[in-house]
Amino acid sequence: MSTIGYDSWAVDLADVGAVYPFQGTEFVMVIIAVVLWIAWQIWAIRNENADIQHDIDVADMKKHIKEEVDRY
Amino acid sequence: MGNNLDALTTVFTEFYYWVTVVFMFLIHVGFCMYEVGASRRRNHLHTLMKNTMLIPLVTITFFYFGWWIYFAFPAWPMSINWEAAAPYAPWSENMGTHLGDRLTGVFWAAFLLFSWTAASIVSGSVIERIRSGAFWILAVLIGSFTWIIDAAWGWHWDGWMVHILGYHDAYASGVIHAIAGGFALGVLVVLGPRIGKFADDGTPRDIPPHNTWLVTIGLFLIYTGFWGFYAACNVPIISPSGIDGLITGETWTATNIYLGPTTLSAITFNFLMSLSGGLMMGYMVSKGDAFWTYSGGLAGIITASAGNDLYHPIQAMIIAGIGTWCAYKLHFWVERKFKIDDAVGAVAVHGYAGFIGLVICGFVLWGAPSSPYDGYATVNPLGQFAGAIIMFVVLGFIPAWICSKILNAMGLLRVPKEVELLGLDFSTDEAYEAAVAEVQSAEKAGL
């Protein structure tokens, strides 16, 4: 019993193909991976929006902008 | 692997592409240094992270669908080749640890590094005012979708542009550079210039890089990675029977992506001579400006790249000089005329130089075979010009403009004016200064 389909390397490698664990679940893994990607994109946009709003809320605009522009 | 020669060829090819991938990583290191150097101090980290995070996002999406597109879309939209693309779908066994397939992973990675490059070219143009979330969507659009469509059409031995137009673009003047330049322009038109870039009367102002040294070292690293890029565009070794085309005899050879013969020696000659032509013209036309001299070297290589598998080195040098001169002049003309703020000149260095390189290639290689197979159009000026339009406008400018319009309508494209002035690193800098102050006061309390 092995997650990769082989529990010994006493084989002719010419007959060996895929050796990653849980073969047969590729399609499910792809669906999970695509969901993770889209979720990450949404999180990143929300996080950036919150960050921008935070800057607007906390900055003393006149003072900080002058300081930052002078810093170049 | 049937015999020892087959085994050696396979393992050599596997190692060859792996080495090119490592070299090409330097392109991205260079782009990051270049962009950070070009940005102002208050935007450093935003600029860096915007570019860095395109790496994972383009990588995973290129795994999910980009690689499959390359094999499925050579004749799209007329047809989709489901059968040829099946091994490259993300759920295929070949897209994983597979002892019977030693090439798919490294070949995928070589193309992936091109994908990063396409997105990274755009990244520099839009610094200091684009939202990262918007840029990452645009990066996936070009890195995992539009560029790989152009590769399927015009950078694949069976692509319809090669068949019908005789399109020839051995080292990607169009398929990477013209499309990325056109894409950047499409974003910039919607995004608008940085605050202060243009005076009230429309006169452009220079916004100097905060660290010219970092910018130029970044460009040096891009040159270095470009060596790997050139090698990655070749098939390193193949027999005439492996090509299965019209080539006769038993002479094994390296080929370009169309399986037409070339040598690593030829492209080494031409890479260096086109780099030199670009550097000399860049220095001359900009009167010794460091940024434009280095950019000129890059523009020179990009201009000559379409035909650098076959050009004579002196031809490569002269073509590089012509492209660099045109790119420089066009950059400032477009800036003045259309108020386009391209922070690093990427539209010119990649887009205009790539476009011009394709057209020049059509004249210089006129009548040369575009493929070792029968029934393909030969290289010609009209086919190359049509190809340049497809790359720059159809797959570059238009998708970028549409996507940017949508993002802009949703309020997701550009940061608010006050945040742009404040600097995109404001909260990070505040946190840094607060942490420093706290540590300093704790240390002083112990005195």
Side-chain angles (χ1 to χ4, degrees):
Chain A
M1 177 67 186
S2 162
T3 58
I4 68 167
Y6 296 90
D7 49 21
S8 162
W9 288 123
V11 294
D12 181 347
L13 292 181
D15 300 329
V16 178
V19 290
Y20 50 81
F22 308 117
Q23 291 155 39
T25 64
E26 293 87 351
F27 197 78
V28 176
M29 286 195 286
V30 170
I31 290 172
I32 292 168
V34 170
V35 169
L36 288 174
W37 160 49
I38 292 169
W40 192 94
Q41 290 270 14
I42 293 168
W43 170 84
I45 289 170
R46 286 184 174 167
N47 181 60
E48 187 175 34
N49 287 347
D51 204 32
I52 287 170
Q53 193 56 50
H54 173 263
D55 288 356
I56 292 170
D57 291 343
V58 303
D60 177 346
M61 282 300 173
K62 260 195 164 163
K63 173 175 164 282
H64 283 125
I65 286 175
K66 188 173 181 322
E67 282 173 7
E68 292 293 337
V69 169
D70 286 343
R71 195 160 73 101
Y72 196 69
Chain B
M1 289 189 272
N3 56 45
N4 285 346
L5 186 58
D6 285 348
L8 197 61
T9 305
T10 301
V11 174
F12 170 73
T13 305
E14 181 183 23
F15 186 66
Y16 174 94
Y17 283 119
W18 181 83
V19 170
T20 67
V21 170
V22 177
F23 267 110
M24 284 194 285
F25 209 96
L26 289 174
I27 295 176
H28 218 84
V29 176
F31 269 123
C32 283
M33 290 177 72
Y34 169 55
E35 282 183 39
V36 170
S39 67
R40 285 165 286 187
R41 286 181 182 81
R42 60 185 193 267
N43 297 315
H44 275 173
L45 290 175
H46 181 274
T47 302
L48 178 64
M49 297 313 294
K50 171 176 64 65
N51 196 328
T52 300
M53 290 310 294
L54 76 81
I55 292 177
L57 291 165
V58 172
T59 299
I60 61 174
T61 51
F62 197 72
F63 186 93
Y64 299 162
F65 50 81
W67 191 224
W68 178 85
I69 287 172
Y70 181 65
F71 294 94
F73 280 25
W76 185 74
M78 284 78 81
S79 66
I80 295 176
N81 195 339
W82 298 98
E83 192 181 345
Y88 310 109
W91 46 79
S92 160
E93 282 190 351
N94 298 67
M95 296 294 284
T97 312
H98 192 294
L99 299 190
D101 180 355
R102 293 164 192 274
L103 296 181
T104 295
V106 287
F107 205 37
W108 169 80
F111 272 67
L112 170 65
L113 271 285
F114 301 166
S115 303
W116 294 359
T117 300
S120 200
I121 289 166
V122 180
S123 177
S125 293
V126 297
I127 57 171
E128 302 194 309
R129 74 276 208 202
I130 198 167
R131 288 177 187 243
S132 296
F135 172 74
W136 293 329
I137 290 170
L138 291 161
V140 169
L141 177 61
I142 184 170
S144 293
F145 191 61
T146 56
W147 109 261
I148 199 67
I149 291 175
D150 87 32
W153 289 358
W155 212 54
H156 184 297
W157 67 271
D158 199 24
W160 72 262
M161 287 174 63
V162 189
H163 274 280
I164 295 170
L165 301 176
Y167 183 74
H168 186 82
D169 190 9
Y171 302 101
S173 292
V175 296
I176 286 291
H177 299 286
I179 187 178
F183 196 97
L185 186 62
V187 179
L188 288 170
V189 166
V190 183
L191 183 67
R194 288 168 290 178
I195 295 167
K197 174 63 187 176
F198 294 98
D200 291 340
D201 65 358
T203 308
R205 297 189 181 102
D206 186 29
I207 301 180
H210 92 272
N211 188 333
T212 308
W213 179 232
L214 199 62
V215 170
T216 51
I217 292 298
L219 280 160
F220 247 134
L221 280 174
I222 294 172
Y223 295 167
T224 312
F226 218 154
W227 284 104
F229 183 101
Y230 257 54
C233 293
N234 276 7
V235 175
I237 185 165
I238 194 165
S239 66
S241 61
I243 296 171
D244 196 26
L246 298 172
I247 296 172
T248 57
E250 294 297 324
T251 305
W252 291 48
T253 184
T255 73
N256 59 27
I257 197 76
Y258 311 109
L259 303 177
T262 186
T263 68
L264 266 184
S265 201
I267 68 172
T268 305
F269 267 137
N270 291 345
F271 182 93
L272 284 169
M273 290 294 274
S274 53
L275 170 67
S276 301
L279 280 167
M280 288 165 69
M281 179 56 79
Y283 188 86
M284 191 170 78
V285 74
S286 72
K287 299 187 170 54
D289 177 83
F291 175 81
W292 279 103
T293 300
Y294 277 82
S295 293
L298 203 52
I301 302 168
I302 290 164
T303 310
S305 285
N308 257 353
D309 56 331
L310 294 172
Y311 290 155
H312 185 278
I314 294 172
Q315 293 164 347
M317 179 191 75
I318 293 168
I319 289 166
I322 294 168
T324 302
W325 186 88
C326 294
Y328 180 87
K329 294 291 179 187
L330 276 169
H331 171 77
F332 290 105
W333 182 76
V334 170
E335 183 179 88
R336 278 193 309 274
K337 181 85 177 167
F338 300 102
K339 309 291 173 278
I340 298 296
D341 176 15
D342 176 0
V344 295
V347 177
V349 170
H350 299 272
Y352 307 149
F355 190 110
I356 291 160
L358 288 173
V359 176
I360 292 173
C361 177
F363 287 97
V364 180
L365 296 184
W366 199 338
S370 64
S371 166
Y373 294 94
D374 204 8
Y376 283 63
T378 55
V379 181
N380 65 91
L382 197 59
Q384 290 294 103
F385 183 73
I389 297 284
I390 289 168
M391 297 299 160
F392 191 93
V393 180
V394 176
L395 291 172
F397 184 90
I398 292 173
W401 186 84
I402 292 170
C403 187
S404 299
K405 277 282 187 190
I406 293 169
L407 289 166
N408 199 36
M410 295 169 73
L412 293 177
L413 187 65
R414 186 167 178 148
V415 297
K417 182 182 171 187
E418 59 269 43
V419 174
E420 184 179 338
L421 288 168
L422 204 54
L424 302 174
D425 292 348
F426 178 72
S427 52
T428 316
D429 289 346
E430 289 286 291
Y432 172 83
E433 282 164 22
V436 169
E438 191 177 336
V439 169
Q440 285 173 331
S441 69
E443 287 175 330
K444 285 172 187 168
L447 286 174

